[in-house]
Structure formats: structure tokens, C-alpha cells
Amino acid sequence: MTATPFTLASASLFIIFSALALVPFLFRNQRALITAVFSLTAISSLLSLIAGIWTVRDGITESYIILLGLPDLPFHMRLDSLSGFFLTVIGALGFIVSIYSIGYVRGFIGQRSVTSLVFFYSLLLAGMFMVVLADDAFFFLISWEVMAASSYFLVMFEDERTENRRAAFLYLAIAHVGAIAILLSFGLMAGFATGFEGFNGYTFDAMRKMDIPPSWAAVAFFLAFFGFAAKAGVMPLHVWLPDADSVAPSNAVALMSGVMLKTAIYGILRVTFDLIRVFPWWWGAVVLVFGLMTAVMGILFAILQQDLKRLLAYSSMENIGIILIGTGMAMVFASFNMTALSALALIAALYHTLNHAMFKGLLFMGAGAVHHATRERGMEGMGGLIHRMPWTSALFLIGSVSISALPPFNGFVSEWLTFQAFLLSPALPSPLLNLLIPLGAAILALTAALAATCFVKAFGVTFLGRWRGDHDTPIHEVDGFMKTGMGLAASMCLFLGVLPTFVIDWMDIVPERFLGGKLAASAGEFGWMWLTPISYTRASYSGPVVLLGIIAIVALAYIILHARGTTIHRGPLWDCGFEKITPRMQYTGTAFSMPIRRIFGFLFNVRERIEVDAEHGQRAFPSRIYYSLKIRDRMWNWLYQPVADASFWVARQAGRLQQGRIQMYLIYPFITIIVLLVLLR
Amino acid sequence: MSEIFPYILDGLQIVILLFAAPVFAGWVKTLKCWFQGRTTAGVLQPYRDLTKLFHKDIVLAENASWVFRFTPYAVFGSVVLAGGIIPILSVDLPLSATADIIALISLFTIARFFTALAGMDIGTAFGGMGASREKTIASVAEPAMLMAIFTVSLVCKSTSLSQMVQVIAHGEFILRPSLAFALLAFALIALAETGRVPVDNPATHLELTMIHEGMILEYSGRHLALIEWAGMMKLFLFAALGIAAFFPWGIAAANDSPALFVAALSLILKLTVAGVGLVMIETGLAKMRFFRVPEFLGSAFLFATLGMLSYFMLE
């Protein structure tokens, strides 16, 4: 038997399940457990990564039937270019985060048992691999639930804190509302594939051949979109995301934010471009609008946060929005049969998926390193870490530069491609879209600029300036495993930013298979150094030249200026003639985001209160000033509070049935029997 | 020879940028003095300032990290690279394919990003305040900028700067209302991006109103020289960008000496006029309150959108 990508992928799954089986034997020796299991997940991820790259490069499609599951309902698995792409993304980040975890999770030894973290981390990884390999609704949903359940336990890891339990409950509730919608959508499609009586329609193969009327197709699509949107954190179903991501352990969050959200993108792409395939333009427009809304609101929320992990979580929401913008544009172009432009937009979305996995993984690993070293969560208590954690801060800076879409790093490439897709929208034959889509481009531009602001704040307040906390807090640089993990992610950020032509050539098979159009003919036309997505005269960008150009100019300037020796003196800060400025007088994160809060404050529920304690009633001589700021999501009041109130109301009404008297309880079965007799005569 | 010539020209363009930018900045200052009835120090004063700074020793804040010391070089590097991309004299530049106008704007964003970080690095309130204000203005300016680019790219069917020059200067001459609106928007945005009155006052060091100066307050010696020089080049490049996108007539299409001579002459003429325009705005207007800036940039966005609409309706 010759090795195929599928062999590697199944070997990868086998290794990860053997790692899970090892847990009961090793949990007494926590240090060995961490090393053994995370090494195995790293190997398993590496195999999946190779399998994914191989599948996409050669455009292989393999499908297998696995005789597991219920009788007569075997599992179907399939590896094609789309699942290969996502397998690559998950494998790459899984490998990096597994190495990081060896160092990170050791930090918990002595504080609590890490068995559940190790176990559910591996199970989450396995669940994600299975989701992208699944080729029938049954296996897909089982894998989906494995993923949801394991991430629930990861959020619950430090379960003595109320906020963890609350976050985990909210996450589970929204994930399940979403899962029900996905189940219904698959049910509809399976029904139209083979009729509602049989069970054979549950395979994706049957659904590909289904004959579904447009109106029902719309219902199926929007059910699936709703379900996947709940998982991806699309506005207004985003509320679980910041809560869950800010309390779960950082290595788990790196995976959840970096790739678990992307499985929802995978689901949307699979259902749209593979199962349904024919759709009107307004589906794409709806996806686009939700993407824009999620992107801009996500980044605005992110700027207003003072907790580093919460800020990163909201920024994940923004990036999911950008990916959806690309997806929506691809759908709009595809519905007008503009295959080349549709391929451009889809490549932009997929590229951003890959990029976001890398830089958000890196940033969450960095946030984990900071938390590991300082035991501090809020940014307002930090500052000046660049002096004590030089490696972490340099790598976090690379992540910040990448996510702020600055050339020559990777975030820029995918946002640039998305902008190109927007700029080509005037080719659409619909005047309405021609007028509205440019406004979308403006919103994306706003989002990108706000992202840069957000990460100046995140990096500046956390790592720059002076330490705001106690003087005697011991802060140390993290160990080699964590540095290696972050270093790998950072080098991927640079690689994906400098050499996009190779990556796009590699993944061009995805739009070719699913949209019938490709980009490579133009992307690499002018040589590997130049990215020219549509044509050379239209637009071009060269990562290598930007990188080398800046390096050359900087080196030249540095050498010329250092030819003549000048001395560098260190002096105290300019304090306007006052004495002794303290670290607490630095600009805080709240202060930094104040202009944004003021300009965009109408979108939020902002409550700002200042109370002055005055001596002898003299307000001019305050003895103490209290300042409190509360920013709430308007969605809570508009959407979630009514739902919560309604469910409590229903529960109270149902509670009336329970009177606590045996006579009443005996009446219920009696009534039931009579009703059944009447109905089922 | 003809193959190497574009490379030489690109190098020449960078040299012109390096040496003409201080003269342009000096010209603007001189004009301002004339408008305000003061005596001037001459157009060459920026050179003297730069030379003085380059010869001074550096006094670094106690807390400054490598980010603070790296920033001047990053700022200088990204701005100089932008100078090799914008067609100042000729469109036949080997570097011009490095970045289209969107990527070019991102090069300026690199400079701004690192300047803001340097402002936060020293750990005073001024640095953070400057960084916060600068990034806020940049965020609000960005949608208007993109809308203006969108309008120009509708006309030129391209975002590549060389292509824009080709289409507008060497194509058929048409009066386009869309470009007029886009130009208006671009002018407002350029004032905000280069930190001129009415958005920021480059001459002020009054603590409460400074934006860009707040971030670089702690710089000295060659670091300050690099940042100041990059600032002058940025002003020069925004003028050159406006010229390339809206008044490209004169920029050489082919690299022969007469065309380049004409290009150089027309560049000097256009920059002289651009300086007059800038000084008239700066002298005529007062610096506005910080929270009025979003309205100012909002009107830029409106103009750019009108430009786009007029393209669809009239052209």
C-alpha cells in the first residue's frame, strides 16, 4: 500500500487518540504527562500539516468509508483541497501551540491538576481534524460536538472562578443553538437529496447531487450560516467569544481563537460552494454585511478593553469579519459568474484565515507568556515588560505589526487582496451593488486603521513605558519551549507576508475546484517577487522588495550615522519642571482609547461616572475622586436580555405544573392518556 | 545602458527626495513668514537645523528601550522607500511595481505605528497622549482616504501609481467632476496625514495641543534629525502623490533627457504652487479642537463619496 495524504491524516488521528489513551496511565506524574501528550499532539499535527500541504499541492481528492458509528450508517471521510487547506491551517497552529504548551502548562504544576487541560486540549485538536475530514452530516455533527464539548471543558479549566463557569455556560448555550440550526440545515438538504423517508441522504455526496428548490435552498443556507456564525462569533452571536477566550488557559485559547473559529468558516464554505453551489447574489450580500458589521464592531470593542486576552478575543471577532467579507464578495462575484474575481475574493478570505491563525496564535501565546510571568490580567497594571521579557515582547511586536496589516508582514497581504476585490467590484453588472460595495470598502479601511490603533495600545500599554504594578513583583522571561512556539509563529507571519506568491500558487487549486476560476495565471505572472492578482497594470505589491528596501535603507542610514562616534547619554524624563513623575502618571489604556470611545461611543452603552469627595463641602478642594467606567454591549439589552427573560418566564410557567401534591401528579398521566386516546383512536 | 537607466533614475529620484524635501519645507516656512509679515531664515534653514541635530549628542530617556532607538530608522526607511515608488519625475521606475497606492499608504502607516510606539515607550503622559491622538486621527482619516483612492481607481482602472499617471496625463484629456471631488477630499486628508493646521500644528510645543510633537518630545540628536527629515519628506511625498494622481502632466513617460528636463521643471513649478496653497490654508485657518477633527475628516469622506457617485452618474 502506498502512502497517500489520507494515510498521514489517519495516522495523525491515530496518534492523537493514543495520546488520549495515555492520559489515564500518566496522570500521576504530571510533568511526564505534559511532555508525552503534547509531544504526541505536536507529531500528530505535523502529520496533518504535511497531509494538508500535500493534498492541496497535488489537488488530490480521496474518500473513504469507515465502518464505525451506527449500523447501516457508516462514517464517510473525504480529503479534498478545501479540507486539505483547513487541515494545513489546523496542523500548523496545532504543531506550534503544542510545543508552546509543554512550557506553558508546566506553569500550572503545583497549583492544580492539569490532567483535564491536557486531555481536552488533545480532544479539541482531534475534533477539529475530524470536522474537516467528515464527509457526512452524521460524522460532521459528532465531530462538531466533540469540538464544542472539549472546548467547554477548557473554558471550565479554572472552574473555581464564577466568571469561568458563566463564560462556559454561555458558550455551551450559544454553541448548541448553533448546532441545532446546522442539524436542521443538514436535515433539509438530506431530505431534498433522497426524500424525507430514507436515511441515505446524510452523506455530503448525496447532498451534492440534490435537487433543491431555490426557496428551500435559501432556508438551508441561512440555517447553516446562522449555526456556523454562532460558532465563529459573528455579530450579534459574539457575546460568548470574549468571555470564553479571556478565561480559558492561553494555549487552549490560541487554538480556539486561532483555528476553532475557522472550522465555522470551513462549514460555511463547504455548504455554500460545495453542497449548494448555485445561489443568488443577495446571499453573498448578507454574508458581506454581517462580515462588515462584525469586523468594525469587533475592533471597536477590542480598543475599549483593558484586559489583554479580552482585547485579543474581540480582535478575533474583527478578523472573522474580514474573512466573511472575503467570503461574501466571493459569493457575490460567483453568483454573477465572474470566476476570476470570485477566486480573488476567496483567496483573500482563505489567506486571511491562514494569517489570522498564525498571528492570533502568536498573540495569544504572548498574552499567555505575560500572564505566566506576571500573574496579571489587566493591562492597566502592566507596562515596561520589554525590559524584563525581551523575547516575548519582540515576538508580540511582530504579531501586533502583522495583525495591524503593515507591510511586509502577512496581515497586509490578505487585507490588500480583500481591498483589491473591493476595488474590482465596479465590474459587477448591478448598479445597486456598484454604489454600496465601495462603502463596504470604506468600513474595511476604518477597521484596518482601528486595528493598528488597537495594537499600538495593546503593545504600548503592556510592554512599553514603565511597570505600573508593585515594585517587588518577580517577572522572568519564559522558557525555551514557549519561546520556540512563539518564534515559529512569528517566522510564519514573516514568511507568509514576504512570499505570498508561493502560498497563493499552492492554494489556487481551491477556487479552481469550487469556483472554476483561478488566480495563478496572473498572481505569479511577473515572477515570484511580484504579487499581481488581476493584471500587472491593475495593481501590484512586492513583499520581498519592501522588506529588503527598508532593511537596505535602514542599514545604510545606520552605518553612515555611526561612522562618526557620538555618545549616548541617559537622562531623566521631561517632567515639565515638576518633581518626580511616577509610573502611575503614564497614559493608561483607558486614556488611550478615550478619543475612540468619545467618537464611536454612540454604538455602545457607555456609563461614565465621576464622584468627588469634597472636604467641608468645598468642591474646589476634593479629597478623593472616584472614576468609574462601564461599557456594555447594546446587544445584551436588545437581544439576550429578552431571550433570557422569556426563558425564565417559560420556566416559571412550566414550574406551576409542580404543585407538590400527589393528586395533581396523578391527574397529568390521566389527561395524557385521554388526549392520546382521542388523537390516536 | 538603457536597461540600467531606470534603476539610475529611481536612485536619482530618492536623492532628489532626500535633498529637495528640506528645501520644500523651507519654502513653506518662508512663505508662511511672508504671509504673516515676519522676516525669514531662508529656504535653506531646514538644512542648517538638520546638520546641527546630526552633530549633537543623543540624550536618551532613562526608560527608553530598543523600540525607541529603532523607530527613527524605521520611519526614515519606510518614507525613503515610498520615495522610490511614487513617480516624481518619470513613470518608468523599477520600484514602482513594489506597491500600489494602497500599499504605499501602508508604508506611511509603518512610520506612524512606530512613532506612536516610541511615544509610549518613554513612559510619560505626553507620549501616550500624542500616540492616542495621532492614531485616532489616522483611524478616522482612513475611510476617506480609501474612498478617494476608490474614485481615482474608477477613472484609471488601476491603483498602480504609474498607471494612473499614464491614464490621466497621456490619455485623452477629459474634465472629470469625480476627480475634482476626489482632489478636494485628498487635500483635506493630506492636511491631516502630514499633521498641518487645522488638524495639528507642526510649530507648536504647547503641551496640551501637540499631537505629532508629543510623541517625539524626548528625541534628540541624530534620532530627532532622522524623524524631522522623514517628516519633511512625508510632506514632499504627499505633495508628489497629489501631483501624480491629479496633476500628472509633465511627468516623463519615457526616460529621455528632454522629457526628464521638462518633468523636473514642471515638478518645481507644481511644488511651488502647492506650497502657496498649503500656506494659504495654514494662515487662513486656526487649529481646530481635537474633537472637531472627525467632522473635518467626515467632510473629506463625503467629498470622496460624492466623487464616486458623480463618476457613476456623469461619466
Side-chain angles (χ1 to χ4, degrees):
Chain A
M1 176 184 156
T2 50
T4 61
F6 191 81
T7 333
L8 288 182
S10 29
S12 151
L13 277 180
F14 182 74
I15 292 175
I16 214 162
F17 278 109
S18 17
L20 285 171
L22 264 180
V23 172
F25 301 102
L26 278 175
F27 76 94
R28 282 180 207 289
N29 184 349
Q30 297 262 300
R31 189 167 271 273
L33 173 79
I34 292 168
T35 317
V37 174
F38 285 127
S39 308
L40 286 176
T41 54
I43 295 169
S44 150
S45 307
L46 195 61
L47 286 178
S48 284
L49 171 66
I50 297 169
I53 293 177
W54 188 358
T55 316
V56 177
R57 193 198 63 188
D58 293 352
I60 296 169
T61 304
E62 289 181 88
S63 44
Y64 290 90
I65 296 173
I66 312 289
L67 289 174
L68 284 170
L70 295 176
D72 280 345
L73 294 175
F75 289 160
H76 293 68
M77 286 168 104
R78 184 163 182 264
L79 191 55
D80 62 3
S81 48
L82 186 63
S83 44
F85 176 80
F86 280 86
L87 207 58
T88 312
V89 178
I90 300 167
L93 193 67
F95 177 66
I96 291 169
V97 176
S98 295
I99 292 176
Y100 170 88
S101 300
I102 301 178
Y104 177 77
V105 179
R106 276 184 190 164
F108 288 105
I109 291 180
Q111 294 175 25
R112 55 172 54 250
S113 158
V114 296
T115 315
S116 77
L117 174 55
V118 172
F119 183 82
F120 288 111
Y121 172 91
S122 316
L123 195 61
L124 171 65
L125 207 53
M128 291 191 291
F129 287 142
M130 292 192 307
V131 163
V132 295
L133 287 173
D135 195 37
D136 65 60
F138 183 41
F139 186 40
F140 184 93
L141 283 168
I142 287 181
S143 318
W144 191 256
E145 285 304 303
V146 166
M147 207 173 72
S150 49
S151 43
Y152 166 80
F153 285 107
L154 289 171
V155 178
M156 278 289 267
F157 177 58
E158 289 169 279
D159 57 0
E160 71 278 359
R161 291 198 304 229
T162 330
E163 68 219 54
N164 286 43
R165 295 197 298 270
R166 194 186 114 92
F169 173 74
L170 190 63
Y171 168 53
L172 203 62
I174 295 183
H176 277 103
V177 172
I180 291 169
I182 298 172
L183 178 67
L184 289 176
S185 162
F186 280 145
L188 261 181
M189 288 192 283
F192 280 104
T194 51
F196 284 92
E197 288 76 26
F199 284 116
N200 300 325
Y202 77 105
T203 64
F204 286 170
D205 239 0
M207 291 183 202
R208 282 186 193 101
K209 299 186 189 88
M210 73 188 161
D211 180 23
I212 186 164
S215 52
W216 282 109
V219 173
F221 170 76
F222 283 106
L223 274 173
F225 180 62
F226 174 83
F228 289 122
K231 192 69 171 192
V234 173
M235 181 109 181
L237 299 166
H238 62 280
V239 288
W240 63 271
L241 182 66
D243 282 0
D245 281 6
S246 59
V247 297
S250 295
N251 63 331
V253 182
L255 271 194
M256 285 165 61
S257 226
V259 287
M260 193 186 77
L261 302 183
K262 311 300 161 46
T263 56
I265 300 293
Y266 167 78
I268 293 173
L269 294 178
R270 175 66 74 193
V271 168
T272 318
F273 293 115
D274 191 21
L275 301 187
I276 298 182
R277 285 200 310 278
V278 185
F279 42 81
W281 64 267
W282 61 270
W283 294 12
V286 170
V287 174
L288 180 62
V289 167
F290 273 102
L292 288 167
M293 202 165 72
T294 309
V296 75
M297 288 307 287
I299 197 64
L300 281 173
F301 267 119
I303 291 183
L304 301 180
Q305 302 308 312
Q306 315 309 337
D307 177 328
L308 186 56
K309 277 164 86 179
R310 235 179 138 75
L311 180 146
L312 293 176
Y314 272 119
S315 137
S316 294
M317 187 179 147
E318 173 230 338
N319 283 283
I320 285 292
I322 294 176
I323 296 170
L324 280 186
I325 291 171
T327 312
M329 295 287 290
M331 290 172 70
V332 171
F333 284 129
S335 64
F336 287 106
N337 278 325
M338 301 162 91
T339 46
L341 296 187
S342 166
L344 170 65
L346 185 66
I347 287 280
L350 290 177
Y351 209 147
H352 202 73
T353 306
L354 180 58
N355 288 342
H356 180 243
M358 289 304 133
F359 53 62
K360 192 47 67 67
L362 170 60
L363 290 168
F364 265 120
M365 287 191 278
V370 168
H371 182 55
H372 189 272
T374 63
R375 301 280 151 213
E376 188 77 46
R377 283 159 53 104
M379 287 191 285
E380 304 290 40
M382 298 189 210
L385 292 178
I386 194 166
H387 300 292
R388 309 201 205 180
M389 305 176 74
W391 282 96
T392 307
S393 52
L395 295 170
F396 197 92
L397 179 61
I398 291 180
S400 305
V401 170
S402 307
I403 201 170
S404 306
L406 298 185
F409 286 90
N410 60 351
F412 176 73
V413 177
S414 43
E415 282 192 24
W416 186 77
L417 288 171
T418 316
F419 276 125
Q420 295 305 329
F422 270 117
L423 289 169
L424 289 161
S425 68
L428 286 170
S430 150
L432 179 71
L433 287 176
N434 284 342
L435 290 178
L436 292 181
I437 287 182
L439 295 176
I443 293 178
L444 180 63
L446 177 66
T447 310
L450 286 173
T453 307
C454 179
F455 281 89
V456 165
K457 172 184 164 173
F459 185 76
V461 177
T462 313
F463 292 95
L464 300 178
R466 286 179 292 164
W467 176 248
R468 294 178 175 83
D470 297 331
H471 280 295
D472 48 354
T473 319
I475 300 169
H476 55 89
E477 180 59 283
V478 293
D479 69 2
F481 287 112
M482 292 167 78
K483 274 190 256 180
T484 312
M486 292 189 283
L488 280 173
S491 33
M492 280 307 289
C493 287
L494 187 62
F495 168 75
L496 292 171
V498 175
L499 298 171
T501 39
F502 291 114
V503 186
I504 289 176
D505 266 349
W506 165 75
M507 65 166 144
D508 223 11
I509 189 86
V510 182
E512 195 186 346
R513 284 284 155 83
F514 292 94
L515 302 167
K518 60 190 283 188
L519 209 56
S522 44
E525 176 191 33
F526 210 59
W528 58 270
M529 279 186 23
W530 312 90
L531 181 61
T532 50
I534 293 301
S535 79
Y536 169 53
T537 53
R538 177 78 216 190
S540 56
Y541 166 69
S542 169
V545 175
V546 170
L547 179 71
L548 295 177
I550 292 182
I551 288 178
I553 295 165
V554 167
L556 208 63
Y558 187 85
I559 291 167
I560 291 173
L561 290 179
H562 284 72
R564 196 179 59 84
T566 43
T567 41
I568 291 185
H569 311 283
R570 290 268 177 180
L573 294 171
W574 167 237
D575 52 10
C576 296
F578 290 105
E579 288 282 300
K580 293 283 170 209
I581 48 173
T582 70
R584 290 200 56 201
M585 292 178 189
Q586 295 176 82
Y587 231 48
T588 59
T590 319
F592 188 92
S593 50
M594 178 268 186
I596 299 283
R597 193 170 72 231
R598 184 125 167 219
I599 296 169
F600 296 98
F602 64 94
L603 293 167
F604 307 95
N605 199 343
V606 181
R607 262 188 231 146
E608 204 174 2
R609 280 214 340 257
I610 300 171
E611 274 176 42
V612 179
D613 270 5
E615 267 174 66
H616 322 299
Q618 292 274 345
R619 279 184 62 87
F621 301 100
S623 60
R624 246 198 139 100
I625 299 177
Y626 301 92
Y627 174 78
S628 74
L629 174 70
K630 268 198 187 131
I631 299 163
R632 265 172 77 95
D633 197 339
R634 282 191 190 276
M635 283 298 157
W636 265 113
N637 289 344
W638 289 351
L639 190 67
Y640 291 89
Q641 206 59 49
V643 171
D645 289 346
S647 30
F648 277 121
W649 185 82
V650 170
R652 266 197 308 277
Q653 299 309 312
R656 286 194 188 177
L657 290 174
Q658 299 203 328
Q659 298 277 346
R661 287 159 59 187
I662 191 80
Q663 296 93 323
M664 292 300 285
Y665 290 132
L666 285 174
I667 288 176
Y668 297 150
F670 180 69
I671 294 174
T672 312
I673 288 168
I674 289 184
V675 169
L676 283 177
L677 281 175
V678 171
L679 288 178
L680 305 174
R681 259 169 305 181
Chain B
M1 183 61 201
S2 60
E3 280 169 23
I4 319 172
F5 194 68
Y7 291 91
I8 297 173
L9 197 74
D10 217 334
L12 182 72
Q13 217 182 265
I14 291 179
V15 172
I16 289 177
L17 167 74
L18 287 171
F19 292 99
V23 179
F24 180 59
W27 166 242
V28 171
K29 275 187 185 152
T30 307
L31 270 180
K32 213 167 176 179
C33 288
W34 288 348
F35 269 65
Q36 297 172 352
R38 294 183 276 141
T39 49
T40 75
V43 289
L44 296 180
Q45 181 59 28
Y47 276 129
R48 292 190 277 270
D49 290 341
L50 286 180
T51 320
K52 180 187 75 186
L53 286 173
F54 274 123
H55 282 90
K56 282 196 163 193
D57 283 350
I58 291 174
V59 182
L60 215 54
E62 281 157 348
N63 192 55
S65 70
W66 63 267
V67 170
F68 189 77
R69 297 170 68 173
F70 172 69
T71 296
Y73 295 98
V75 171
F76 187 77
S78 54
V79 173
V80 171
L81 182 64
I85 295 167
I86 300 177
I88 298 175
L89 287 180
S90 157
V91 295
D92 187 12
L93 300 172
L95 275 181
S96 73
T98 301
D100 69 339
I101 188 162
I102 296 175
L104 188 83
I105 300 298
S106 302
L107 282 179
F108 291 122
T109 314
I110 298 182
R112 167 175 283 142
F113 189 87
F114 276 98
T115 317
L117 286 184
M120 302 194 75
D121 189 29
I122 42 181
T124 61
F126 292 135
M129 187 168 69
S132 160
R133 290 178 178 175
E134 174 92 351
K135 292 305 287 180
T136 306
I137 291 177
S139 309
V140 188
E142 200 67 21
M145 188 72 182
L146 192 93
M147 225 44 183
I149 293 174
F150 211 113
T151 310
V152 177
S153 85
L154 279 175
V155 175
C156 303
K157 302 277 180 285
S158 171
T159 53
S160 144
L161 283 160
S162 301
Q163 194 63 23
M164 285 183 185
V165 173
Q166 296 273 19
V167 169
I168 298 180
H170 304 289
E172 201 180 340
F173 179 76
I174 311 169
L175 268 181
R176 295 177 189 271
S178 55
L179 282 188
F181 279 119
L183 171 64
L184 198 55
F186 177 80
L188 298 185
I189 301 156
L191 287 177
E193 292 269 341
T194 51
R196 311 299 297 195
V197 176
V199 176
D200 185 11
N201 186 352
T204 190
H205 278 92
L206 178 64
E207 284 95 347
L208 297 177
T209 59
M210 59 188 174
I211 299 177
H212 185 255
E213 294 300 317
M215 296 189 290
I216 61 170
L217 199 61
E218 290 285 337
Y219 273 114
S220 57
R222 60 167 176 267
H223 290 159
L224 184 58
L226 283 176
I227 288 190
E228 293 284 348
W229 201 358
M232 294 172 197
M233 287 192 283
K234 196 175 169 190
L235 182 65
F236 181 89
L237 287 177
F238 262 89
L241 190 59
I243 289 171
F246 301 103
F247 303 102
W249 296 280
I251 296 177
N255 291 327
D256 51 60
S257 346
L260 287 177
F261 185 69
V262 173
L265 268 187
S266 70
L267 178 72
I268 294 172
L269 191 72
K270 286 178 212 164
L271 285 177
T272 313
V273 177
V276 175
L278 175 62
V279 170
M280 282 170 72
I281 295 172
E282 287 213 292
T283 314
L285 294 176
K287 185 185 173 301
M288 57 172 70
R289 262 187 75 210
F290 179 69
F291 284 105
R292 294 288 299 278
V293 175
E295 295 167 27
F296 174 79
L297 291 169
S299 54
F301 181 76
L302 201 66
F303 286 132
T305 313
L306 282 176
M308 190 198 72
L309 291 180
S310 65
Y311 175 84
F312 281 122
M313 284 190 268
L314 304 175
E315 289 167 36

